[in-house]
Amino acid sequence: MLRRVVQNYVTLPAVREIAIVAPDGETITRSGAFKNDRPYALVRPQLAAAMEDSARSGEERFLELELDGKPVLVEILPFHNTLFGTSGRRGLAIAILDLRQLQAATLQMFLTLTGAIAIGIVAILILMWVSIHRVVLKPLTLVNQAVAESDRTGVFTMPANLPRNEIKFLARNFERVVKQLEAYDQLHKEIEQRKQVEAALRQSEARERAKSHELGKLVRELKQTQAQLVQTEKMSSLGRMVGGVAHEINNPVSFIFGNLTFAQEYFEQLVDLIELYQQSYPQPTPQIARRLDEIELEFLIDDTQKLFASMKVGAERIRDIVLSLRNFSRFDEAELKSVKIEEGLRNTLLILQPRFQGGSPVEIVTVEEFGDLPLVECYASQINQVFLNLLSNAIDALESDERYRHGRKLPVPATIWIRTEALNKKTIAVRIRDNGPGMPPEVRQKAFDPFFTTKEIGKGTGLGLSISYQIIVEQHKGRLECISKPGEGTEFVIEIPTQIPRS
Ligand SMILES: Nc1ncnc2c1ncn2[C@@H]1O[C@H](COP(=O)(O)OP(=O)(O)O)[C@@H](O)[C@H]1O
Ligand SMILES: [Mg+2]
């Protein structure tokens, strides 16, 4: 049986010889040998030492040597068997392998194995690539195309035939995100539209407001013009009437004034004559003496002289008043004229004289500080009207001030200061100041509005300042300013050019 095993082994390509050696060195069997072979150490003397050593120690031995001029690998395997007894030596299985063939076989095997592995790897790679392509790349490309498409159209269409994996999940998520984006986009558009509508609305609202503001302004202007027309008409008819009356009075007054001088002269001459009689006839008749006693001649002469003087003063006063009235009304001078401003102020004060004396519950002092002014080209009657309005307001204010009422004596009495000055060659200023109650800011802000008044019905019309403003600012291209503090009085500053600039 051993022989058969040995013969079998020997058929392997690299095996040159197989031998089984008994512990005592007898060759039990050897490939390619006859039944009764020589002891193996004799067959292969090169191995004798190694065999002896392995049989004794029981250890494997490998040798490389040359046999019949060829390199061989010898493997000596000791084994133990009860058949051999207990001599302390082991049987040996010896295999002699052709080293070249062995190397060739190993190389062959290595090549075969490497080839197989390479083919395997390539196959796996191909398989992986195919499956990656099918499962990942292709779906990814599809999703990518759909995304690119959605970028153009704004609608994401889910690609068909996507494998059920993360990519499908990704595509679903993407679909959801695109839908949300779409919704967001829609929302954004709506917001934009609403904003536009809102802006348009706001614009039209602003336009409407501007229109209504404009309309309000127009209405106010209309009211003011109307009020002014009424006032102008009133003033002009008053002016005409005053002027007419003044003219009518002027004649008889000139009469009286002119004749008074003659009358006084005649009287003086008569007195002279009487004295001459007395000197020529120092002894009067009893009738004349009685008469002289009755009339108290000395007193009569004396008193008549005084009478003439007083009549002269009175007539002069009437003449002045008539002149003032005519000046004030200037109904015959509706055109531009160069006038002395202080004359207008004096005339206006004269007209207002009754309000300074007697009737007023407050004693009002006027202080006039007239500077050296050039002639001013203006509509004189209108400027006078402004003076009248401002002075009347000052008087009203002082009269309404409790501090000055009931004849109280205060360190500074109720006063109106009227100052004029030339600001420069082209502008003059008139300041009318009172130490009345002044105006709180809310009154001052509205004081120039037409129909604004704080006075009781029947007393105030609320037109004085608005008309004055119109006359000074619009007609004479000047400035009208109000400076007022509650408790400290009020000052109106009129500035007008000496010549109205042509515009
Ligand atoms: N000198 C002043 N002191 C205090 N208040 C004044 C003075 N002048 C004008 N005002 C205020 O301005 C308001 C408007 O004046 P105005 O236009 O002349 O109208 P009116 O005199 O008819 O009230 C007055 O009602 C008054 O309240
Ligand atoms: Mg007034």
Side-chain angles (χ1 to χ4, degrees):
M1 192 197 69
L2 274 174
R3 174 172 289 271
R4 219 175 296 140
V5 171
V6 165
Q7 292 304 343
N8 270 345
Y9 266 104
V10 146
T11 57
L12 292 173
V15 180
R16 255 188 79 177
E17 186 173 87
I18 299 283
I20 307 292
V21 179
D24 58 1
E26 281 301 316
T27 305
I28 296 172
T29 180
R30 178 166 75 98
S31 56
F34 298 107
K35 208 170 185 186
N36 297 315
D37 205 1
R38 290 174 291 166
Y40 195 69
L42 295 183
V43 179
R44 302 285 178 207
Q46 307 99 303
L47 305 178
M51 284 166 58
E52 184 63 23
D53 183 31
S54 183
R56 280 188 191 285
S57 66
E59 282 171 14
E60 267 179 77
R61 286 286 182 271
F62 294 93
L63 303 172
E64 262 182 53
L65 41 92
E66 283 207 357
L67 206 65
D68 307 331
K70 284 185 181 166
V72 291
L73 175 70
V74 181
E75 191 176 355
I76 302 171
L77 276 168
F79 65 88
H80 191 78
N81 197 305
T82 43
L83 274 175
F84 305 132
T86 52
S87 60
R89 296 169 64 94
R90 284 158 180 85
L92 299 171
I94 298 166
I96 299 176
L97 306 168
D98 187 322
L99 206 53
R100 287 228 180 87
Q101 272 199 24
L102 194 67
Q103 279 168 347
T106 313
L107 186 69
Q108 175 98 31
M109 203 159 78
F110 171 74
L111 286 178
T112 316
L113 216 69
T114 312
I117 289 173
I119 289 169
I121 286 176
V122 168
I124 288 172
L125 279 178
I126 288 171
L127 215 71
M128 266 172 73
W129 191 84
V130 167
S131 63
I132 284 176
H133 180 78
R134 214 169 55 80
V135 177
V136 180
L137 290 181
K138 199 167 168 216
L140 264 183
T141 313
L142 285 175
V143 171
N144 195 22
Q145 275 169 359
V147 169
E149 190 79 357
S150 82
D151 196 27
R152 244 181 344 96
T153 58
V155 184
F156 181 79
T157 322
M158 189 77 172
N161 305 330
L162 280 187
R164 291 172 171 273
N165 59 12
E166 280 76 2
I167 291 175
K168 190 159 192 172
F169 179 69
L170 187 79
R172 284 250 163 76
N173 275 347
F174 204 86
E175 188 181 24
R176 222 178 18 249
V177 168
V178 169
K179 273 196 184 135
Q180 275 174 0
L181 269 177
E182 244 172 68
Y184 175 77
D185 215 37
Q186 189 64 25
L187 203 73
H188 191 70
K189 268 188 206 147
E190 272 172 30
I191 289 174
E192 276 303 310
Q193 271 172 1
R194 286 210 185 144
K195 269 188 189 161
Q196 275 173 6
V197 169
E198 206 180 317
L201 257 172
R202 220 176 294 133
Q203 256 178 13
S204 90
E205 196 187 21
R207 266 201 304 276
E208 289 306 313
R209 215 177 302 133
K211 255 191 220 161
S212 92
H213 183 77
E214 191 70 12
L215 221 64
K217 209 173 112 190
L218 269 175
V219 168
R220 271 200 303 281
E221 275 173 11
L222 211 69
K223 265 184 166 179
Q224 186 166 10
T225 316
Q226 185 194 20
Q228 200 172 347
L229 262 173
V230 171
Q231 184 77 357
T232 311
E233 188 51 40
K234 234 161 61 183
M235 283 307 285
S236 87
S237 44
L238 184 74
R240 257 199 301 278
M241 197 187 79
V242 168
V245 170
H247 184 75
E248 285 308 316
I249 296 173
N250 199 33
N251 272 344
V253 166
S254 318
F255 244 54
I256 296 170
F257 193 72
N259 290 346
L260 254 180
T261 322
F262 292 117
Q264 195 175 13
E265 215 179 289
Y266 297 160
F267 174 71
E268 299 287 342
Q269 282 171 7
L270 282 174
V271 170
D272 266 1
L273 187 68
I274 291 170
E275 277 174 2
L276 206 63
Y277 266 115
Q278 278 178 335
Q279 277 167 20
S280 309
Y281 306 100
Q283 292 302 321
T285 63
Q287 207 179 0
I288 291 171
R290 218 182 310 122
R291 195 68 179 188
L292 277 174
D293 251 18
E294 264 173 31
I295 62 168
E296 292 179 63
L297 184 67
E298 296 265 309
F299 170 78
L300 188 140
I301 292 168
D302 204 40
D303 206 39
T304 308
Q305 265 160 351
K306 279 186 193 155
L307 274 180
F308 272 117
S310 134
M311 272 156 73
K312 225 177 181 172
V313 169
E316 260 169 22
R317 183 125 182 77
I318 293 173
R319 198 187 54 178
D320 282 353
I321 289 173
V322 168
L323 203 67
S324 288
L325 281 176
R326 284 182 62 175
N327 271 343
F328 177 78
S329 64
R330 286 194 187 268
F331 70 99
D332 48 342
E333 295 163 15
E335 313 144 24
L336 274 179
K337 202 180 171 194
S338 288
V339 295
K340 284 184 180 161
I341 286 292
E342 53 271 36
E343 212 167 73
L345 281 165
R346 284 210 183 91
N347 289 332
T348 312
L349 281 169
L350 202 86
I351 301 277
L352 286 169
Q353 206 53 43
R355 295 204 57 189
F356 288 108
Q357 316 157 327
S360 173
V362 173
E363 202 175 304
I364 298 169
V365 182
T366 56
V367 179
E368 292 158 33
E369 298 165 13
F370 293 162
D372 200 9
L373 289 191
L375 289 180
V376 176
E377 194 189 60
C378 63
Y379 298 99
S381 65
Q382 294 196 348
I383 294 288
N384 287 348
Q385 194 187 336
V386 173
F387 295 155
L388 184 75
N389 288 342
L390 297 184
L391 286 167
S392 310
N393 279 349
I395 296 169
D396 287 344
L398 289 168
E399 281 181 354
S400 72
D401 198 330
E402 277 299 319
R403 292 176 295 175
Y404 303 115
R405 281 180 167 243
H406 317 299
R408 274 192 226 166
K409 286 275 172 266
L410 286 146
V412 182
T415 311
I416 299 174
W417 288 266
I418 304 150
R419 264 180 63 191
T420 65
E421 61 179 313
L423 293 180
N424 51 48
K425 273 190 187 147
K426 287 183 174 170
T427 322
I428 61 119
V430 179
R431 295 162 192 275
I432 296 175
R433 179 160 77 87
D434 65 71
N435 54 357
M439 287 182 242
E442 63 273 17
V443 171
R444 203 191 55 212
Q445 270 161 24
K446 290 191 190 153
F448 289 101
D449 291 356
F451 306 108
F452 174 80
T453 179
T454 55
K455 295 166 194 172
E456 54 198 74
I457 299 168
K459 204 161 179 222
T461 58
L463 288 173
L465 286 182
S466 83
I467 286 169
S468 302
Y469 188 87
Q470 214 272 339
I471 291 172
I472 297 297
V473 177
E474 274 156 46
Q475 239 141 284
H476 289 84
K477 311 287 175 220
R479 270 157 40 92
L480 178 58
E481 201 190 337
C482 168
I483 305 159
S484 183
K485 258 195 189 164
E488 287 182 24
T490 303
E491 180 174 38
F492 282 94
V493 184
I494 303 167
E495 278 178 27
I496 37 173
T498 50
Q499 247 187 345
I500 303 174
R502 317 242 173 267
S503 56

